Amino acid sequence: MEFRTATELLQESRNEVFHLEVRDSYGEPGEDEAFRCFVNNEPFDYREWFQDWYDFVKELTARSVSVSRVRVVTVPHSDYQRWLLTLTTLNVEAGEDIRYLPRHLAGKLPRDDWWLVDSETVVFNLSDKDGRSVGGSAVTTDPEIVSYCRNVRDRLWSLAMPYAEYTQVMSQQ
């Protein structure tokens, strides 16, 4: 069996990658310091910290690969989601199309996050019971799972608001 990381699978995409995010907080070890600084209102160079992902997205979009995601969030936002909202400008600047959907408007949701690559491969991010990444991925091309994920993507995408619109609506509340 060949092991490939989620990043490697995304790199191989030909047309599109889509990410569904359904948690209100994540425990990505590489985010700990940046998130701690945000929560404590301490200075941090987010652009430098984010540069690898920024460059990766720019490379994908330069090859005409669409990069998009829907974040399903609880309102009011967790500290983690407030932090992501401030960082999302970098995602969008790099070329991602990110939409937000308040959880109470989402209907039935999958329990786990996943990437859908070229509408034919699903990559599940593996995490422990507390949402901390365990550094691996589960990958499937099972037609039923892929079809389910495509349907979820299409349904949630149609309900979600583009990032700029979402931040404007949230600022008025």
Side-chain angles (χ1 to χ4, degrees):
M1 176 182 350
E2 177 186 3
F3 176 79
R4 294 181 295 162
T5 65
T7 302
E8 290 169 331
L9 290 162
L10 298 179
Q11 179 64 42
E12 295 170 8
S13 63
R14 297 174 314 281
N15 302 305
E16 63 178 343
V17 294
F18 169 82
H19 194 209
L20 175 65
E21 297 179 7
V22 295
R23 294 189 190 127
D24 285 320
S25 65
Y26 292 83
E28 293 295 325
E31 295 178 345
D32 289 346
E33 177 68 10
F35 180 59
R36 184 193 63 73
C37 287
F38 173 79
V39 169
N40 293 316
N41 201 28
E42 297 172 2
F44 190 84
D45 188 345
Y46 294 104
R47 182 168 290 281
E48 180 181 331
W49 171 80
F50 197 77
Q51 194 66 47
D52 287 344
W53 182 255
Y54 185 95
D55 292 343
F56 181 68
V57 171
K58 291 292 264 185
E59 177 191 324
L60 290 175
T61 57
R63 291 192 292 113
S64 298
V65 173
S66 165
V67 182
S68 61
R69 69 177 79 207
V70 167
R71 288 184 174 142
V72 179
V73 296
T74 300
V75 179
H77 300 124
S78 66
D79 285 344
Y80 187 88
Q81 287 299 335
R82 285 188 316 101
W83 177 59
L84 282 185
L85 276 165
T86 66
L87 292 176
T88 300
T89 57
L90 296 172
N91 293 80
V92 171
E93 184 181 304
E96 285 191 65
D97 186 352
I98 299 182
R99 296 187 179 197
Y100 278 81
L101 179 60
R103 188 171 309 281
H104 68 278
L105 301 175
K108 186 174 176 169
L109 290 169
R111 229 181 53 140
D112 298 309
D113 292 4
W114 38 260
W115 287 94
L116 181 60
V117 181
D118 293 331
S119 290
E120 57 192 34
T121 303
V122 179
V123 182
F124 293 95
N125 300 331
L126 301 179
S127 57
D128 66 17
K129 64 181 174 75
D130 297 320
R132 292 204 56 94
S133 172
V134 295
S137 303
V139 180
T140 185
T141 57
D142 179 289
E144 288 184 35
I145 295 171
V146 170
S147 176
Y148 168 78
C149 290
R150 276 195 311 259
N151 290 336
V152 168
R153 175 201 58 198
D154 294 347
R155 180 178 67 81
L156 295 179
W157 188 259
S158 70
L159 296 171
M161 284 184 265
Y163 167 70
E165 181 182 336
Y166 183 75
T167 57
Q168 185 176 20
V169 167
M170 293 310 297
S171 71
Q172 295 170 357
Q173 293 184 355

